[in-house]
Amino acid sequence: MADTILGAAFFLILFLALLVNTIFLVVYCRRRRLKTTGHYTLLVALAFVDVLAGGIWTGMSAAAATFDWEPDGQLCHLQSYFFTFTQVLTALILASVSLERLLIMLKPSRHRMVFVPKVTAFLIFALMVFCGVVSSIHLYGTIPTTWHGTEKHCRADFTESVKMLEMTFCFDYAIPYFVIALPAFVGAFVKYYIARRNRSRYGEIVLETNTYAPSDSYSSRLSKMQSKFGGAKDKTKRKKKATSKKAGLGKRSYSNQGYTEMEHWDSDIKGWEEQTQIESPRLRTHALAGPEYKLLVTSAFVTLVTALLWFPWIVVRFILTKTPRDPAPNWLILVAILCAHSSTFVKPILYFGFNAFYRSAWAKTFGCCGRRKEQSHGLNKIRSESYENSTY
């Protein structure tokens, strides 16, 4: 009876993992706006990893619990390999997401040049190769892998090699979450609060200010160079002259919180890609956009939830390795393994629940009234003021 309930729980997790991640991939493929940002490229990689983990790791555990089947030999090594591979790759991709969010808060101009889809795809490929090499010790029998009926899955036995367990813990949990993701998100939020306190006279939150942009004329750049290397005689006048003339970036909307947003941020209108290619990555002033701040908050929450879902399994694994004569109770092992499996479907659900901009893209993808849906989420309420040829 207990195995039947456990098998049903595994099949439910498998169904949710395949469903929500497939929906996420469909939304990404249908919305051209999402394909132009490196952030969503990383999220697509997370969706593929979750599909892989759910289809192989969770699927084999569900079949074993339901049909009283015990994989042995190469199948057992294969499940242990994908268990470690997907865990390490998920942690490293979430760490990359944190660095991507930190860069867009500190240097938006560099972010537009670094986290483009092609560079992000190469980064994902490099992470996959690294995780594949690190996880190969489970595939070729370097570490003994055995079937555990209580957990309903195969895992490596680190009883004789505690140092290997500690090294694995560093690669798949400590370094990605504690060393990279936590300081990166803390730094991003600190920069946000500093920029929010130092708003410009127009009310927007300015993340980066450059002395000149490629759109400036030759005479304006020459005058800036002369003022930079000249004397301090007319320094105050030059400053006033420099701040009075700024490059316009077209129609934008500002909220009371100081966010800025391009009109129709997720639309698929013809010519959108051409407009983004014409726009230079180095602008006079980079203001914080509403969608970017929402992605920062959602990404931090998703990373925190994923780390918490994996934490019980980390504790159980250390208990089973360091105290084999006094193992953890069965209920703790089941809770830990179910939480670890549940991490395969929570990420798209959290993005859907905590990010109104992704909900808007989801509604437009599946034929819902996107504009009406956008109004229902209150996105039009944050557009309090409009500026034509805004100067920031």
Side-chain angles (χ1 to χ4, degrees):
M1 184 64 181
D3 290 345
T4 304
I5 297 176
L6 186 60
F10 280 134
F11 273 113
L12 178 61
I13 293 173
L14 174 62
F15 172 76
L16 291 175
L18 296 179
L19 177 64
V20 298
N21 287 288
T22 302
I23 292 176
F24 190 90
L25 294 175
V26 170
V27 173
Y28 175 82
C29 293
R30 295 289 300 273
R31 309 304 297 173
R32 291 196 298 172
R33 173 65 179 87
L34 304 182
K35 298 179 183 179
T36 58
T37 57
H39 181 87
Y40 281 99
T41 306
L42 293 170
L43 297 186
V44 166
L46 276 179
F48 275 116
V49 173
D50 289 338
V51 169
L52 191 63
I56 298 178
W57 176 39
T58 307
M60 293 180 68
S61 297
T66 305
F67 305 108
D68 194 18
W69 169 63
E70 296 184 4
D72 54 358
Q74 290 298 323
L75 286 177
C76 197
H77 285 286
L78 183 67
Q79 188 189 31
S80 179
Y81 170 79
F82 278 103
F83 168 70
T84 306
F85 174 76
T86 54
Q87 180 188 3
V88 179
L89 187 57
T90 299
L92 291 179
I93 292 177
L94 288 175
S96 301
V97 170
S98 67
L99 294 177
E100 184 262 344
R101 290 293 91 189
L102 177 63
L103 184 60
I104 199 171
M105 296 298 294
L106 296 180
K107 286 289 183 180
S109 60
R110 300 296 181 185
H111 178 272
R112 296 189 179 190
M113 294 183 287
V114 174
F115 282 97
V116 295
K118 291 183 179 179
V119 177
T120 309
F122 178 79
L123 172 63
I124 295 170
F125 177 75
L127 292 178
M128 291 180 64
V129 172
F130 173 77
C131 295
V133 173
V134 171
S135 305
S136 61
I137 59 176
H138 299 266
L139 189 61
Y140 297 106
T142 306
I143 295 179
T145 303
T146 56
W147 167 259
H148 296 270
T150 305
E151 306 162 16
K152 299 301 178 185
H153 84 122
C154 298
R155 62 176 174 85
D157 189 4
F158 294 100
T159 306
E160 300 179 357
S161 180
V162 180
K163 292 184 178 180
M164 183 66 70
L165 173 63
E166 294 174 351
M167 186 186 69
T168 306
F169 166 74
C170 291
F171 275 114
D172 60 18
Y173 197 82
I175 293 177
Y177 292 117
F178 295 147
V179 179
I180 299 178
L182 181 61
F185 281 123
V186 170
F189 280 109
V190 168
K191 175 58 186 293
Y192 164 73
Y193 284 111
I194 292 175
R196 186 175 180 178
R197 292 179 61 183
N198 302 326
R199 296 185 188 178
S200 68
R201 58 179 179 175
Y202 296 106
E204 70 270 17
I205 299 176
V206 177
L207 300 178
E208 183 183 4
T209 303
N210 297 313
T211 55
Y212 66 90
S215 58
D216 295 343
S217 62
Y218 175 76
S219 58
S220 63
R221 284 183 286 175
L222 182 61
S223 62
K224 290 181 179 62
M225 294 298 292
Q226 291 175 350
S227 64
K228 180 178 179 180
F229 296 101
K233 202 179 280 186
D234 298 330
K235 197 172 183 181
T236 56
K237 292 183 179 180
R238 287 173 187 143
K239 280 188 177 180
K240 291 181 180 180
K241 186 177 181 181
T243 55
S244 62
K245 183 180 179 182
K246 296 183 179 180
L249 300 178
K251 187 178 180 181
R252 291 179 181 260
S253 301
Y254 297 97
S255 68
N256 295 329
Q257 291 79 19
Y259 306 134
T260 178
E261 180 189 352
M262 286 291 293
E263 293 292 327
H264 308 294
W265 75 276
D266 65 340
S267 63
D268 289 337
I269 58 176
K270 186 176 181 181
W272 192 94
E273 294 180 354
E274 289 77 4
Q275 293 176 6
T276 56
Q277 291 175 359
I278 294 175
E279 185 180 2
S280 172
R282 183 180 176 89
L283 305 175
R284 178 68 60 79
T285 303
H286 294 266
L288 179 62
E292 300 296 344
Y293 176 70
K294 291 292 183 180
L295 285 178
L296 172 63
V297 176
T298 309
S299 301
F301 189 72
V302 168
T303 305
L304 175 63
V305 171
T306 305
L308 291 178
L309 287 175
W310 276 102
F311 183 73
W313 171 248
I314 298 295
V315 174
V316 167
R317 191 170 61 175
F318 272 96
I319 293 175
L320 295 174
T321 302
K322 294 195 173 185
T323 59
R325 296 183 180 180
D326 189 15
N330 291 335
W331 66 266
L332 180 59
I333 296 176
L334 291 178
V335 169
I337 201 68
L338 287 176
C339 288
H341 281 279
S342 299
S343 64
T344 57
F345 68 85
V346 297
K347 304 179 194 68
I349 293 178
L350 292 176
Y351 267 91
F352 181 83
F354 290 91
N355 197 320
F357 298 97
Y358 174 70
R359 290 198 299 270
S360 174
W362 184 90
K364 293 178 181 180
T365 300
F366 293 98
C368 303
C369 274
R371 200 63 183 175
R372 190 175 300 173
K373 195 80 173 177
E374 194 174 302
Q375 293 176 0
S376 67
H377 289 299
L379 295 182
N380 285 335
K381 291 182 181 180
I382 69 172
R383 293 173 179 155
S384 57
E385 298 181 11
S386 297
Y387 293 92
E388 297 237 352
N389 295 326
S390 171
T391 58
Y392 68 94

